[in-house]
Amino acid sequence: HTPLPSPDGTRLPRQQWAALPLDPELRAWQTLDVGLTPGQSGVPVGVAGCWTDMFIFREAGRTFAIFKEAEGLVVEAQNPELTRWQAVGRIAGVHGECPNFIKLQDRWLLLRSTYPMTYQVGTFDPERIAFDLDGPDGMVDYAYGLVPATDPNYYRDGTGVPVCRFGAPPAHSANRGFYATSVFADAKGRTLLLAWVGAFESKGWNCCMSLPRVLSLDGDDRLIQTPVPELAQLRGRHTGLRGMELQDETNTVAGIASTTLEVEAVLVLGTAQSVELRLRDQSTGSIAVRIAYDGHSLDANGTLVPCVLAADQRRLTLHLFFDRSLMELFINGGRQAVTRVAYPSSSSPLEIECCAVGGTAQVMTLDAWELKASWPAGG
């Protein structure tokens, strides 16, 4: 998509190119013009100069693609090799960068890398080239927290979802959090998602990939994200609790302290004002991760998440991964997710605490594991 110089030295509008590998080791590549230049192949002359992030999808035996910053432009492949394309229409709801458009359980899911990331469920008609926004919308991950209603950097799209204007990340977030997703199907037929996670302190690098997540829709067509079950292969030493009542005091889970942890917990608020799960630095006593639930919202280490429980329910399910400085939290079976960078005060192991504030609460179940490295020793 690099602008090419014209004979008079000016820059031509950006166009889309493909790159084909020339060897099995993927060391040599050949670029290929696929015919998508503004003013050609049906592409509007006025398409934004930064249109890119091509995402390819298939339906009804046809192959299509969408882009960022192209106002929902849809192009269709004209040959099986995907080397010739033609613009065929536009779909609604495409905002931000790295749009992913996938079929999930006979519905269509549009993922948008905005601040924060949002999704829209609907119906895609390949004959009309139309995305009918007839399903729910919501947040993919609360990495950027709740959108301030008065922030001028935000607008609300046609579905009412608050979206940050492209190029204007929230003032409180100097680097990207959970962003720029990649979605693909694996050999088991699952739809998997990976995202780019940033906001680390500068150490010559500032990004890593999230844990792989399995995507599905619940009975109301809302997005569900769960960590791939294969992550259980990384589990090491285990400890757990069953049926513990919390009496307005802190309770440490004995036998587990590590810089890499996985925790699954079912907590019941009871009469307490809030119930909390914490990871505490063993040497300094400071709290590295604090997850608190008060019946109305959940505070995930400073990120507020609206309550997703029914009014008559007090039970909360948490699935937490912590890897030295990165927290990924899945709430109530993956109905909501929060990804945050969180630095402990030292490199000492972290111990797990549960506590009730202002009354009693219950730990129905809690299982915790030390996590082993995903890379083999010496890798």
Side-chain angles (χ1 to χ4, degrees):
H1 57 267
T2 303
L4 299 177
S6 66
D8 63 2
T10 60
R11 289 282 176 176
L12 298 176
R14 287 194 178 190
Q15 62 191 86
Q16 304 295 324
W17 289 71
L20 302 178
L22 300 179
D23 63 284
E25 292 81 21
L26 306 181
R27 295 181 180 181
W29 295 78
Q30 176 185 357
T31 57
L32 180 67
D33 183 355
V34 296
L36 292 177
T37 302
Q40 300 178 21
S41 304
V43 178
V45 174
V47 70
C50 56
W51 75 304
T52 182
D53 295 353
M54 186 178 191
F55 184 83
I56 297 174
F57 60 98
R58 293 181 171 88
E59 176 67 348
R62 300 164 67 183
T63 302
F64 303 95
I66 57 175
F67 310 84
K68 81 167 187 182
E69 293 297 291
E71 299 181 354
L73 180 69
V74 179
V75 299
E76 182 175 1
Q78 303 300 295
N79 62 349
E81 295 79 19
L82 309 184
T83 58
R84 296 197 311 273
W85 295 79
Q86 178 76 27
V88 291
R90 297 182 185 274
I91 61 173
V94 181
H95 304 299
E97 299 183 284
C98 302
N100 301 154
F101 194 50
I102 57 173
K103 194 171 187 178
L104 200 60
Q105 299 166 216
D106 297 322
R107 299 286 276 156
W108 282 85
L109 174 69
L110 175 63
L111 300 173
R112 306 175 284 208
S113 285
T114 50
Y115 302 96
M117 282 202 64
T118 56
Y119 74 86
Q120 173 71 53
V121 177
T123 304
F124 176 62
D125 185 341
E127 296 303 318
R128 294 188 296 121
I129 312 296
F131 181 42
D132 297 319
L133 310 180
D134 57 4
D137 56 71
M139 303 292 185
V140 178
D141 193 287
Y142 285 80
Y144 291 100
L146 295 176
V147 177
T150 58
D151 191 326
N153 286 331
Y154 288 88
Y155 66 94
R156 292 188 178 273
D157 67 11
T159 66
V161 173
V163 179
C164 185
R165 299 184 189 281
F166 178 72
H172 69 274
S173 184
N175 295 292
R176 293 170 177 172
F178 187 92
Y179 197 80
T181 53
S182 295
V183 181
F184 57 93
D186 71 355
K188 298 180 179 179
R190 301 176 299 184
T191 300
L192 303 184
L193 175 147
L194 290 169
W196 183 22
V197 180
F200 295 95
E201 293 177 356
S202 178
K203 300 180 185 299
W205 57 273
N206 194 15
C207 284
C208 69
M209 300 305 293
S210 69
L211 294 174
R213 304 179 180 187
V214 181
L215 301 185
S216 62
L217 300 176
D218 67 9
D220 296 320
D221 284 342
R222 294 203 168 273
L223 179 63
I224 302 293
Q225 304 172 79
T226 55
V228 292
E230 289 86 346
L231 291 169
Q233 299 175 42
L234 303 180
R235 290 173 176 173
R237 196 155 57 101
H238 169 264
T239 191
L241 298 173
R242 297 291 183 273
M244 171 181 281
E245 184 169 80
L246 306 175
Q247 295 281 352
D248 202 8
E249 62 185 28
T250 297
N251 295 269
T252 301
V253 178
I256 285 288
S258 177
T259 58
T260 54
L261 290 163
E262 178 185 0
V263 182
E264 289 188 306
V266 179
L267 309 176
V268 178
L269 188 56
T271 64
Q273 296 174 8
S274 67
V275 60
E276 299 187 5
L277 174 68
R278 302 170 177 169
L279 302 184
R280 184 183 294 275
D281 190 304
Q282 203 171 47
S283 63
T284 67
S286 64
I287 296 173
V289 171
R290 173 180 172 270
I291 301 165
Y293 175 64
D294 64 3
H296 303 286
S297 63
L298 183 141
D299 183 339
N301 224 36
T303 294
L304 290 179
V305 180
C307 174
V308 296
L309 303 184
D312 59 346
Q313 291 181 322
R314 309 282 280 178
R315 183 187 300 256
L316 178 72
T317 300
L318 301 174
H319 194 173
L320 170 68
F321 291 84
F322 188 80
D323 185 358
R324 292 178 176 83
S325 59
L326 180 58
M327 175 194 85
E328 290 191 57
L329 176 66
F330 301 88
I331 305 164
N332 291 331
R335 286 169 175 79
Q336 292 172 305
V338 184
T339 303
R340 287 289 305 268
V341 173
Y343 286 102
S345 56
S346 78
S347 58
S348 298
L350 304 176
E351 56 189 12
I352 303 167
E353 298 177 347
C354 292
C355 72
V357 177
T360 62
Q362 293 79 39
V363 178
M364 301 299 292
T365 62
L366 186 147
D367 291 283
W369 297 268
E370 296 178 359
L371 289 180
K372 298 177 289 186
S374 59
W375 294 96

